[in-house]
Amino acid sequence: MPIAFKDVSHVYSAGTPYEYRALDHVDLEIQEGKMTAVVGQTGSGKSTLVQHLNALLLPTEGTVYILDRTIDANKKPKQLKSLRGDVGLVFQFPEYQLFEETVLKDTAFGPKNFGCTVEEAEKRAKQALQLTGIGPEYYERSPLELSGGQKRRVAIAGILAMDPRVLVLDEPTAGLDPAGTASMMKLFRRLNQELHKTVLIVTHDMEQVYRYCDEVIVVHDGKIRHQESSAEFFKDAHLCNEMGVLPPSLIRLEEMMREFGFAVPQGIVTEEQLAQWIAQEVKNHG
Amino acid sequence: MGSIALGRYIPLDSVVHKMDPRAKIMAMLIVLIAVFFPSGWIGYAVLFAAASLMILLSKLSVGFIWRAMRPMLIMLVFLLVINALVVHTGPVLFSIGSFSVYLDAVLQTLYIAVRLLLMIMITTCLTATTKPLDMTLGIEDLLKPFEKIHVPAHEIAMLISIALRFIPDLIDETQRIMKAQESRGVDLQEGKLKEKIQAILSLIVPLFVSAFQRAEDLANAMEARGYMPGEPRTRYKVLKMAGRDYILLACALITAVGIGVLAWAV
Ligand SMILES: Nc1ncnc2c1ncn2[C@@H]1O[C@H](COP(=O)(O)OP(=O)(O)O)[C@@H](O)[C@H]1O
Ligand SMILES: [Mg+2]
């Protein structure tokens, strides 16, 4: 069963002068097993949208279907805890959620809450920490002493240790250096491809979306503006331009070459392919 | 969090909103003192009329005052129970078995309830119509004369305004951390005592860490821009008393003196 939103709206502070409609009649389907990017300007409603996936926010109108559960506006939701174990949500700047004395304890906190024994939880925590690249030498350190990037890794490991079926990440690479960003994105892609987790990732970085994601959802003003496969979305630069974001550098290069009169064919999606095509052209026109 | 009414600023366009915060603070203090005079029911009726007039002028709704008052109700019920147990004067109102409730118990509770209502109405007239920053400017100016006896007026005002400035941020931060921990399976409603303690720890530790972080960032940002406590500073916003502010003060004084005379005469 895929994840689906049917006519979902979310209104903050309803009935006060501060009332704000952050989601406006959203219809959406997300396939299981895919890696999907949620993009859109700041304030467009991305975080509001993803917080519906583990029922941290409940729809004020409409219905959310997720992993055989139905969350209806006007109905008191049940089985919230088991849903939160199945849908792991990593918040924006998750390093602010660390609180235990040691890295290992903090990472094991999630699985323990979901009923694992201490041994089982620590075993899972160690696996998760290994995935995110935090070595055993850090297990007994206080999470508060780590660098910003390391804290982020520990926090993400804390969610991975819960072994969720769906992994939702709200701007997980914001503020990381390029190398950190790349290794983080590779990890999410690995979780998606090798462990078959459904991954949903909110990001502003088109380069990463282009490189790693299967699907793109564009949120604009609380509505879904586009939902397309990544290949379709990045066929040319016009959708990126329409959104006011910089297209991936490869797309920009192709567009520029076309402007200068090169007949770059559609469907070139990696640097190697483009280099090969250029080499071929140079040889042909020798 | 959107339902807290007590002490909240409500952006409306009214005469009271435009008044000088110093005049409003002074007037509030004067009338609050009058509430404590034992002036009997007539005095309270006068004060109630005065406070109602101010609320009307500030365009606040009755519902808002009611919501500000509501948290006090539990306390009043509690008080009524205690009074019923302790006070044994006046005529008997009714009896349940050998236990009787006396009229004075009810009257005394009512007395306190009326005073509480008056105090909330009067303070709300100030807090709902004055922006927190204007309030601190007003406090700073009113404390100025006390600098002679080494009251750090400016520092106190700065402390208050920084504290006020961070309340919404800390509320946001608390909600964010709560959500983050709920995503990790923390259940803030249910669970055994040990789990509850863990749940609260998982909120408090990150909250303190981030509050200290913010404080440090702010201190650095202020120092970087040349802020030195105790140095003379000019002000972006200069407060000025207008005719209506003097009228407010005069009315407050007249009310208080009138109530005082009434209390003395009774
Ligand atoms: N708790 C809240 N109360 C009121 N308004 C909110 C709250 N959270 C977010 N909003 C508003 O909802 C809109 C969407 O916010 P958000 O989902 O965080 O956007 P994004 O993640 O795309 O930047 C914003 O305009 C924001 O101000
Ligand atoms: Mg966001």
Side-chain angles (χ1 to χ4, degrees), chain B residues 123-171:
Chain B
T123 45
T124 301
C125 279
L126 173 70
T127 55
T129 64
T130 315
K131 286 192 200 117
L133 276 180
D134 287 348
M135 187 96 81
T136 48
L137 284 184
I139 294 174
E140 181 176 352
D141 276 6
L142 290 173
L143 285 178
K144 265 272 148 56
F146 299 102
E147 276 186 340
K148 296 232 165 48
I149 53 166
H150 303 292
V151 173
H154 168 70
E155 281 76 6
I156 290 176
M158 184 57 92
L159 274 181
I160 298 174
S161 61
I162 289 174
L164 288 175
R165 156 72 185 73
F166 276 112
I167 287 173
D169 280 12
L170 285 179
I171 291 177

Side-chain angles (χ1 to χ4, degrees), chain A residues 237-248:
Chain A
H238 94 269
L239 281 179
C240 286
N241 292 335
E242 181 188 304
M243 280 176 61
V245 296
L246 206 58

Side-chain angles (χ1 to χ4, degrees), chain A residues 47 92 170-171:
Chain A
S47 298
Q92 220 162 333
D170 197 348
E171 304 198 22

